């Protein structure tokens, strides 16, 4: 993550957006507009248009949490689905400190590069922060109290939590969540592969939001500009250098007095 991040929820905002309109370059700072002005000219037009299209379809209103997964390939597969469906925020709860997440670019196809990934040591730590950002916590769980994903209001900011490949969601996560949700099953088996389950829930959330809200992407103009600047800074290794050079030139520009 390149643009400066907020330390907490903006009291004037109704939903979470993590970035400030500021990129630090040593002692200088650039706004998102300046980052775009500096970096965008070196990209091909098709690439710039693709980044803009992706930003238009991005949202922080639904995020993904993967808890205690042992197979990093499964984690990367869920990230690939999250990116493809327009989710920007994903979280990894590593219940075993010896099994911290490592990306698998062969499976994710580089999706990690474009997602905001946050790592946590426990469900309690993760859920506390997510709730402070306005999310309700929906754990995927097959149980009598589980609500069908088809009966949920996906216009509300929601964190989708999927659990371990073998044990499922931990007891701690189930207890701390706001609701349990499930995918109705029609066959003899009573569960999906975790990456498949995550993909189904995310896809339904996006479809439901599109049907009821008109679209899934919900960033305003300022947020879209900041996220575009963030993507440009992530684009390749030279983007940061280009922005830093722009900041140096800016620092040596004479100030024009206001009349």
């Amino acid at each position: 993550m390149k643009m400066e991040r907020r330390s907490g929820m903006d009291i004037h905002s109704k939903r979470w957006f993590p970035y400030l309109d500021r990129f630090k370059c040593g002692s200088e700072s650039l706004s998102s507009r300046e980052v775009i002005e500096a970096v965008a000219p070196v990209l091909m037009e098709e690439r710039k248009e693709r980044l803009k299209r992706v930003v238009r379809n991005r949202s922080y209103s639904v995020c993904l949490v993967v808890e205690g997964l042992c197979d990093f390939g499964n984690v990367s597969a869920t990230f690939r689905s999250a990116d493809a469906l327009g989710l920007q925020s994903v979280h990894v709860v590593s219940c075993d400190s010896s099994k911290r997440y490592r990306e698998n670019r062969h499976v994710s196809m580089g999706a990690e590069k474009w997602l905001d990934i946050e790592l946590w040591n426990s469900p309690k730590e993760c859920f506390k922060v997510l709730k402070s950002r306005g999310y309700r916590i929906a754990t995927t769980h097959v149980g009598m109290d589980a609500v069908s994903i088809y009966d949920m209001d996906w216009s509300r900011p929601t964190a989708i939590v999927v659990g371990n490949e073998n044990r499922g969601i931990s007891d701690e996560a189930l207890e701390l969540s706001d609701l349990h949700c499930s995918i109705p099953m029609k066959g003899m088996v009573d569960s999906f592969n975790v990456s498949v389950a995550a993909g189904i829930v995310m896809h339904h959330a996006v479809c439901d939001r599109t049907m009821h809200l008109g679209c899934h992407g919900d960033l305003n103009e300022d947020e879209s500009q900041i996220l575009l600047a963030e993507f440009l800074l992530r684009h390749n290794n030279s983007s940061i250098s280009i922005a830093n050079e722009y900041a140096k030139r800016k620092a040596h520009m004479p100030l024009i007095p206001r009349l």
Side-chain angles (χ1 to χ4, degrees), residues 87-143:
L87 279 68
Q88 183 60 28
S89 176
V90 297
H91 304 258
V92 181
V93 179
S94 301
C95 299
D96 183 343
S97 60
S98 68
K99 294 182 178 179
R100 298 289 284 181
Y101 169 66
R102 298 188 303 274
E103 68 179 42
N104 185 331
R105 296 182 70 84
H106 176 71
V107 176
S108 69
M109 301 299 288
E112 290 98 336
K113 179 177 180 177
W114 306 107
L115 297 171
D116 295 356
I117 302 173
E118 296 182 66
L119 306 180
W120 307 94
N121 293 317
S122 70
K124 182 178 181 180
E125 178 189 27
C126 177
F127 292 2
K128 180 180 180 181
V129 172
L130 288 176
K131 289 183 179 183
S132 75
R133 295 174 182 175
Y135 290 98
R136 64 173 174 173
I137 311 298
T139 48
T140 53
H141 177 64
V142 179

Side-chain angles (χ1 to χ4, degrees), residues 231-245:
F231 279 3
L232 288 171
L233 290 169
R234 296 184 193 183
H235 186 261
N236 58 38
N237 293 331
S238 65
S239 297
I240 299 294
S241 299
I242 293 169
N244 281 320
E245 288 301 316

Side-chain angles (χ1 to χ4, degrees), residues 50 54 57-58 76-88 90 108 111-112 114-115 202-203 206 216:
R50 182 171 185 178
V54 169
N57 289 290
R58 278 302 207 243
S76 293
T78 64
F79 285 3
R80 182 176 176 179
S81 297
D83 172 69
L85 291 167
L87 279 68
Q88 183 60 28
V90 297
S108 69
E112 290 98 336
W114 306 107
L115 297 171
M202 289 188 290
H203 182 265
V206 170
H216 168 63

Side-chain angles (χ1 to χ4, degrees), residues 35-92:
V35 169
I36 294 169
E37 185 177 304
V39 181
V42 304
L43 270 67
M44 296 182 65
E45 282 301 318
E46 301 95 56
R47 189 63 168 174
K48 284 188 285 189
E49 287 305 311
R50 182 171 185 178
L51 290 175
K52 290 176 183 178
R53 185 171 66 252
V54 169
V55 168
R56 283 196 300 271
N57 289 290
R58 278 302 207 243
S59 175
Y60 286 89
S61 295
V62 178
C63 70
L64 174 69
V65 181
V66 292
E67 185 216 9
L69 297 192
C70 298
D71 185 339
F72 295 139
N74 276 334
V75 181
S76 293
T78 64
F79 285 3
R80 182 176 176 179
S81 297
D83 172 69
L85 291 167
L87 279 68
Q88 183 60 28
S89 176
V90 297
H91 304 258
V92 181

Side-chain angles (χ1 to χ4, degrees), residues 203-218:
H203 182 265
H204 173 69
V206 170
C207 290
D208 186 84
R209 286 171 55 77
T210 301
M211 182 172 65
H212 290 98
L213 303 176
C215 62
H216 168 63
D218 59 3

